[in-house]
Amino acid sequence: GQQVMQIPQYQHVQEGEDFTTYCNSSTTLSNIQWYKQRPGGHPVFLIQLVKSGEVKKQKRLTFQFGEAKKNSSLHITATQTTDVGTYFCAARTFSGSARQLTFGSGTQLTVLP
Amino acid sequence: DAGVIQSPRHEVTEMGQEVTLRCKPISGHDYLFWYRQTMMRGLELLIYFNNNVPIDDSGMPEDRFSAKMPNASFSTLKIQPSEPRDSAVYFCASSLQVTDTQYFGPGTRLTVL
């Protein structure tokens, strides 16, 4: 089955430092979504990337989709304590079935004040 | 909109007991998904429905798990009999189309003693 690798598993940063999490797939993806889950909360949709090489920004968050559509990254500039949580990628293959929306294992971000 | 509603928010039961988790999707969403989240296995898709019909239940761990969607505004996930390894957070999510953003409910934290 489709494998979605997400690294790192954990990341501790000092407030103000940057943070990046990476998602890699063994197969070409139709699209990729990113979600954020606060401690004790539920996953909340952040963004969806569809096009090869696509880059989208949301304030301090920058999302990239690789040229080969097999990898993606989420970069946070100048982290704040409100960024604490686990960031998941969710990758979808060209089969189109929701079953193929595979979540990565997540990167748990801790921001130290 | 109230978002996806799940009940109960917390459930503690003893091994062997029947457990029923409930979900009300966002009105107008045709797709409903049940996920299980654990530290060991991350976020796993158990089953999803389209227009109240189960489409893919290949993620259901075993026969002790069953899910129903009797109408567009209600779904249940039942575990009978429950076992300690079923302890997890169970999320329900809904979406307009299968490829769209999934909106997650707050989850049910299940503890089986």
Side-chain angles (χ1 to χ4, degrees):
Chain A
Q2 179 185 344
Q3 296 282 334
V4 178
M5 303 297 294
Q6 191 172 354
I7 56 170
Q9 188 174 1
Y10 303 96
Q11 184 79 59
H12 292 71
V13 300
Q14 207 70 37
E15 188 173 18
E17 292 181 338
D18 292 355
F19 159 77
T20 305
T21 174
Y22 301 90
C23 192
N24 296 290
S25 169
S26 56
T27 59
T28 303
L29 303 171
S30 171
N31 60 56
I32 193 162
Q33 299 176 349
W34 285 93
Y35 292 77
K36 176 184 178 181
Q37 184 175 19
R38 295 182 183 273
H42 58 278
V44 175
F45 174 80
L46 294 177
I47 209 159
Q48 175 168 280
L49 304 172
V50 179
K51 299 177 182 178
S52 168
E54 188 170 14
V55 178
K56 288 187 176 180
K57 292 190 175 184
Q58 290 180 351
K59 298 181 180 179
R60 294 179 294 102
L61 277 61
T62 302
F63 304 84
Q64 290 188 325
F65 202 8
E67 293 289 341
K69 300 184 72 172
K70 287 187 175 182
N71 56 76
S72 180
S73 65
L74 158 59
H75 179 84
I76 302 178
T77 303
T79 55
Q80 300 175 358
T81 54
T82 53
D83 296 326
V84 165
T86 300
Y87 293 84
F88 293 94
C89 62
R92 192 185 305 277
T93 63
F94 280 100
S95 71
S97 165
R99 185 65 182 92
Q100 300 303 319
L101 183 66
T102 304
F103 279 80
S105 55
T107 296
Q108 186 174 321
L109 173 64
T110 301
V111 180
L112 305 171
Chain B
D1 199 320
V4 176
I5 300 172
Q6 290 186 248
S7 65
R9 294 292 308 275
H10 302 273
E11 177 79 34
V12 180
T13 191
E14 292 187 344
M15 182 174 62
Q17 296 298 307
E18 176 181 304
V19 175
T20 300
L21 312 181
R22 297 172 176 79
C23 175
K24 175 180 169 56
I26 293 173
S27 177
H29 282 193
D30 290 336
Y31 288 84
L32 183 141
F33 308 82
W34 281 101
Y35 289 88
R36 177 173 67 177
Q37 186 175 41
T38 61
M39 289 294 292
M40 291 297 295
R41 301 177 66 89
L43 201 57
E44 304 173 277
L45 176 66
L46 300 177
I47 185 171
Y48 80 96
F49 295 82
N50 177 25
N51 291 323
N52 315 336
V53 177
I55 302 301
D56 186 344
D57 65 354
S58 57
M60 297 285 262
E62 48 196 277
D63 292 344
R64 297 184 298 106
F65 286 70
S66 63
K68 294 181 180 179
M69 193 165 185
N71 57 62
S73 59
F74 184 65
S75 176
T76 60
L77 178 67
K78 184 179 292 186
I79 308 173
Q80 180 185 19
S82 58
E83 296 182 3
R85 60 194 169 116
D86 301 329
S87 297
V89 180
Y90 291 81
F91 288 106
C92 175
S94 70
S95 67
L96 279 169
Q97 298 292 332
V98 69
T99 54
D100 282 351
T101 303
Q102 295 186 14
Y103 294 87
F104 283 74
T108 296
R109 182 173 295 276
L110 173 65
T111 303
V112 183
L113 303 174

